[in-house]
């Protein structure tokens, strides 16, 4: 089975712009979670989608949003980019999104905001 | 609340053992352990569920003390390939939202 894929792998944007990141989960997985990783804050949960519905949300401003499509692929969007949004954005998929399931991470999208 | 990991960093000689601890202030549904090498995605190691079980594969094992809301990761006879940052991720409510600890940097030297 193919693993979790994320595109693009690298992005450079300037402050004020917006960006859309894409995540394709492992085939058959219906839950997709997004995480932000920075040296200062570590790995932080953004949100989780299951069957096209946002089921969990972390403590991030409304500039961060996401959606999930019927094929379980997910996108996240960051509007009005700030310098502090520079980070590695990771998505993870699991079968049903339950607490006892393993989450498998994709390679991440590294975003640099100038 | 972010789980607390200790130690923050450890250097080992090849063949030595290490223990990494993860403590939560909230009741835990499950604890997930990952290893991340520089520039790569976190790789799943194991998941511990409520019940105080111990799991392991090869020379890496983990325990889960539900009463103390703690988990420990045990690395025995360390190999160079064990180097990386180890994260525990805890699930404290319904669903699968992982709250990660601050990480433990482990370096294995010859």
């Amino acid at each position: 089975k193919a693993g979790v894929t994320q595109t693009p792998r690298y992005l450079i944007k300037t402050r004020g712009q917006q960006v859309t990141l894409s995540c394709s989960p492992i085939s058959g997985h219906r839950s997709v979670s997004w995480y932000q990783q920075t040296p200062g804050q570590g790995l932080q949960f953004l949100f989780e989608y299951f069957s096209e519905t946002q089921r969990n949300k972390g403590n991030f401003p409304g500039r961060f949003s996401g959606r999930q499509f019927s094929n379980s692929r997910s996108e996240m969007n960051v509007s009005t980019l700030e310098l502090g949004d520079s980070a590695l954005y990771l998505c993870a998929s699991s079968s049903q999104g339950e607490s006892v399931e393993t989450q498998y991470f994709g390679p991440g999208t590294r975003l640099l905001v100038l | 609340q972010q789980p607390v990991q200790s130690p923050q960093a450890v250097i080992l000689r090849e063949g030595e053992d290490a223990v990494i601890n993860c403590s939560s202030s909230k009741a835990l549904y499950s604890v997930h352990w990952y290893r991340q090498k520089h520039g790569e995605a976190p790789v799943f190691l194991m998941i511990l569920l409520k019940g105080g079980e111990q799991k392991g594969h090869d020379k890496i094992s983990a325990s889960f003390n539900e009463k103390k809301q703690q988990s420990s990761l045990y690395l025995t006879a360390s190999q160079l390939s064990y180097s990386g940052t180890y994260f525990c991720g805890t699930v404290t409510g319904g669903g699968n939202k992982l709250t990660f600890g601050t990480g433990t940097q482990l370096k294995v030297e010859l």
Side-chain angles (χ1 to χ4, degrees):
Chain A
K1 259 187 186 177
V4 179
T5 58
Q6 292 186 245
T7 56
R9 293 293 310 278
Y10 303 92
L11 264 180
I12 300 176
K13 292 284 187 180
T14 55
R15 275 187 305 171
Q17 287 187 309
Q18 77 165 21
V19 67
T20 299
L21 312 180
S22 181
C23 171
S24 292
I26 291 171
S27 178
H29 284 192
R30 296 168 64 192
S31 169
V32 174
S33 298
W34 288 89
Y35 295 86
Q36 181 196 63
Q37 186 172 30
T38 59
Q41 300 296 322
L43 270 161
Q44 291 192 291
F45 174 81
L46 280 156
F47 29 64
E48 183 226 355
Y49 286 87
F50 180 82
S51 291
E52 302 178 66
T53 301
Q54 187 180 88
R55 202 161 62 167
N56 263 309
K57 192 175 188 309
N59 297 323
F60 279 81
R63 300 185 296 107
F64 292 82
S65 63
R67 60 177 175 167
Q68 186 179 36
F69 302 95
S70 58
N71 61 358
S72 294
R73 189 177 70 85
S74 177
E75 288 181 347
M76 68 162 279
N77 185 278
V78 188
S79 62
T80 320
L81 284 166
E82 300 177 359
L83 296 179
D85 297 334
S86 294
L88 178 66
Y89 290 88
L90 293 158
C91 80
S93 77
S94 65
S95 179
Q96 300 294 324
E98 296 178 356
S99 64
V100 298
E101 291 179 342
T102 300
Q103 292 188 42
Y104 296 93
F105 282 84
T109 294
R110 191 166 294 279
L111 172 66
L112 177 62
V113 182
L114 301 175
Chain B
Q1 193 85 9
Q2 191 175 33
V4 176
Q5 281 185 241
S6 63
Q8 287 187 319
V10 59
I11 299 175
L12 299 174
R13 293 266 184 221
E14 201 175 23
E16 291 182 336
D17 302 341
V19 181
I20 300 172
N21 299 304
C22 174
S23 296
S24 173
S25 58
K26 293 185 176 183
L28 300 173
Y29 278 57
S30 59
V31 180
H32 305 229
W33 285 97
Y34 289 85
R35 176 173 61 214
Q36 185 177 31
K37 294 185 182 279
H38 185 69
E40 299 180 9
V43 172
F44 171 77
L45 293 174
M46 63 189 71
I47 182 172
L48 285 301
L49 309 178
K50 286 201 296 187
E53 64 181 284
Q54 184 149 353
K55 297 188 77 171
H57 61 86
D58 200 10
K59 296 186 176 73
I60 300 176
S61 62
S63 63
F64 180 12
N65 188 321
E66 190 183 337
K67 211 171 181 181
K68 293 185 178 180
Q69 293 153 38
Q70 286 178 352
S71 178
S72 295
L73 186 72
Y74 307 93
L75 301 115
T76 58
S78 59
Q79 306 167 17
L80 295 175
S81 61
Y82 285 6
S83 295
T85 302
Y86 289 78
F87 292 97
C88 68
T90 58
V91 178
T92 58
N96 68 346
K97 172 187 170 184
L98 279 172
T99 302
F100 283 95
T102 48
T104 296
Q105 291 186 0
L106 186 140
K107 186 176 181 183
V108 181
E109 298 176 336
L110 287 170

